[in-house]
Amino acid sequence: MCAAHMLVGNLKETPSSTHVFLLPHLSTFKPLICCIYVSFGEFKEISIISDDNQSDAFGEQQQTEMAQNSPEMCEMQLNGVSELMDLLHIDVDADVVDDRPGREDALYSRNVLRKQRHWEKQLAAKKSKRKEEKQRRKLNREQESGASTEHQFTKRVMKAITKERLAEAQSTGLKLCIDLSMTDCMSDKEISRLAGQLRRLYGSNKKATRPFHLFLTDLREDSRLYRECIRMNEGFLNYMMDITEESCLDLFPAETVVYLTPDAEEALETVDADKVYVLGGLVDESIQKKLSFSRARQLSVHTARLPIDEYMVKKTNEKNFHSKILAVNQVFDILLTFCDTGSWTEALQTWFPLGKGYVVAPQITLRK
């Protein structure tokens, strides 16, 4: 039993190794050398050889005893060894601890996995919503601009037509500036969102039958927005629009500029080819009031707002949420549709987000 406990104590040291022990012979109590190979608490192989120091003394004697002993004695010796190994096996199994890596971490990662699954569900829902919105807009564009006939052209031909339209717009198209002078008060997250809105705005202008001549004003090359646009928007430097560090007043006379802001008192009734329209390039998640209106006052230019109050009414919803604040690309889509159709009702009904809590007034829809 002492030898067994000595073996178990040594076997705990390593999960997989070969151990050499000196054990007494079960019948003669003469020392024997046992080589035991253990793998994670299980005996894989055992070899018994004589002690090097006593091999000469006991070698011949053991051979003689093995020859003289009866088969019953040999079987009894083997049974003794088996019993000892069974004892060792039980002790080792009882004391071996499962210390496989990652087992403890798995117990503490359930909350992480739960949060990850919840995040993945939210992400999938957002992707599905964006896909539906994209399909709806595509269908609206096809119905309004007769894009069904254009699908007969190859991509190369369509690309050439689009480039020709944009080039013509830079000569004769309606002028629209995106004022990017307010980006210093925006967070990095808001900067990224604005860069995405500019990409979508340019995409809408490319697909328009009568695109605008676009200007990105007050955009410095060392600004965060400039770097983010290059990072997020492939081919940004090749966009067919004017990118400048100058302000809109450096490019156009103040009397021709109309700054579109939701805080303006006067509603925009029509789009005049002699005017230059300015949209405030601003994403404000902290909801700072009248930032774009203050910028327009600073420039001392005329202001106007989309005719939301004249054509839309509030719609009751669970959150009782109503907002007239739109993203830059949403305002631009409304202007594009109005220029194509001449109808504020159709433009607002097509592009005003449903989640803002406004719908086109029923009597105006019937009148249409």
Side-chain angles (χ1 to χ4, degrees):
M1 182 62 92
C2 294
H5 285 295
M6 179 179 66
L7 273 175
V8 171
N10 292 330
L11 290 176
K12 290 179 183 178
E13 296 177 359
T14 56
S16 178
S17 60
T18 301
H19 303 270
V20 180
F21 301 97
L22 187 63
L23 295 177
H25 194 282
L26 294 178
S27 60
T28 63
F29 295 95
K30 294 177 180 180
L32 295 176
I33 295 177
C34 297
C35 296
I36 304 174
Y37 175 69
V38 182
S39 177
F40 291 98
E42 295 185 3
F43 291 92
K44 299 300 183 180
E45 183 179 355
I46 177 170
S47 301
I48 301 177
I49 62 175
S50 61
D51 186 4
D52 291 339
N53 297 329
Q54 301 183 8
S55 60
D56 294 338
F58 294 106
E60 295 180 0
Q61 182 178 353
Q62 289 181 2
Q63 291 178 2
T64 304
E65 289 179 357
M66 290 296 291
Q68 292 177 355
N69 287 338
S70 61
E72 291 80 2
M73 182 62 70
C74 293
E75 184 177 356
M76 186 172 62
Q77 292 179 1
L78 293 176
N79 289 337
V81 173
S82 178
E83 291 176 0
L84 177 59
M85 299 316 298
D86 289 341
L87 177 61
L88 295 177
H89 181 71
I90 292 173
D91 290 341
V92 171
D93 284 347
D95 294 333
V96 169
V97 179
D98 187 2
D99 57 351
R100 286 174 289 180
R103 186 174 182 84
E104 183 177 354
D105 294 340
L107 298 178
Y108 296 98
S109 62
R110 292 175 183 173
N111 287 336
V112 176
L113 293 176
R114 178 176 57 81
K115 291 180 180 179
Q116 183 177 358
R117 286 194 296 268
H118 179 67
W119 179 81
E120 289 175 351
K121 288 181 180 179
Q122 287 185 326
L123 185 62
K126 288 182 180 180
K127 287 184 178 180
S128 177
K129 186 176 180 180
R130 285 198 296 267
K131 184 176 180 181
E132 292 176 0
E133 184 70 15
K134 185 177 180 180
Q135 291 176 348
R136 183 176 70 87
R137 292 179 179 180
K138 181 179 179 181
L139 180 61
N140 290 333
R141 284 194 295 266
E142 289 179 354
Q143 292 175 349
E144 294 169 4
S145 61
S148 57
T149 57
E150 294 181 355
H151 287 303
Q152 300 175 359
F153 298 109
T154 63
K155 289 184 178 181
R156 179 177 296 181
V157 173
M158 287 301 302
K159 188 175 181 180
I161 293 175
T162 299
K163 190 173 182 180
E164 183 179 350
R165 284 178 181 171
L166 293 174
E168 184 179 356
Q170 288 182 320
S171 301
T172 61
L174 296 170
K175 297 177 178 61
L176 186 136
C177 299
I178 312 298
D179 180 15
L180 301 174
S181 62
M182 297 174 283
T183 57
D184 290 338
C185 62
M186 294 165 56
S187 66
D188 291 340
K189 181 180 178 181
E190 292 168 342
I191 290 290
S192 296
R193 289 185 57 186
L194 179 58
Q197 293 175 11
L198 293 178
R199 180 181 66 248
R200 290 188 286 272
L201 183 150
Y202 180 70
S204 297
N205 199 48
K206 284 175 60 178
K207 297 173 183 176
T209 54
R210 292 192 300 168
F212 277 78
H213 182 190
L214 297 178
F215 297 82
L216 298 185
T217 62
D218 294 278
L219 182 58
R220 305 186 311 272
E221 292 187 2
D222 60 345
S223 65
R224 291 179 298 160
L225 179 61
Y226 187 87
R227 293 192 296 268
E228 193 68 6
C229 285
I230 293 177
R231 185 185 70 85
M232 291 183 58
N233 306 338
E234 184 178 357
F236 173 74
L237 296 179
N238 296 324
Y239 281 4
M240 295 189 68
M241 60 170 64
D242 292 356
I243 302 175
T244 177
E245 296 184 3
E246 297 178 306
S247 70
C248 56
L249 293 186
D250 295 328
L251 302 175
F252 307 103
E255 60 271 14
T256 63
V257 175
V258 178
Y259 207 112
L260 298 181
T261 169
D263 300 304
E265 295 182 359
E266 182 181 345
L268 183 66
E269 296 181 358
T270 186
V271 176
D272 191 347
D274 296 329
K275 299 292 184 179
V276 178
Y277 296 91
V278 181
L279 303 181
L282 178 67
V283 174
D284 181 24
E285 294 183 346
S286 61
I287 315 298
Q288 302 180 51
K289 294 183 178 180
K290 298 186 176 182
L291 283 178
S292 58
F293 185 74
S294 298
R295 172 61 176 169
R297 284 288 183 87
Q298 180 184 356
L299 297 174
S300 300
V301 296
H302 186 70
T303 59
R305 57 174 174 80
L306 294 178
I308 297 174
D309 294 335
E310 287 73 16
Y311 290 87
M312 307 188 79
V313 294
K314 292 182 179 180
K315 180 181 179 182
T316 57
N317 52 69
E318 295 179 356
K319 297 182 179 180
N320 195 26
F321 174 76
H322 303 89
S323 175
K324 303 174 188 177
I325 309 300
L326 302 178
V328 176
N329 59 297
Q330 293 171 342
V331 177
F332 181 73
D333 287 333
I334 292 173
L335 289 176
L336 270 180
T337 303
F338 174 75
C339 291
D340 288 339
T341 63
S343 170
W344 284 115
T345 301
E346 185 173 346
L348 292 170
Q349 191 171 29
T350 303
W351 297 107
F352 198 92
L354 298 177
K356 295 291 184 177
Y358 284 86
V359 294
V360 174
Q363 64 272 19
I364 296 178
T365 305
L366 293 175
R367 194 189 316 159
K368 175 186 172 184

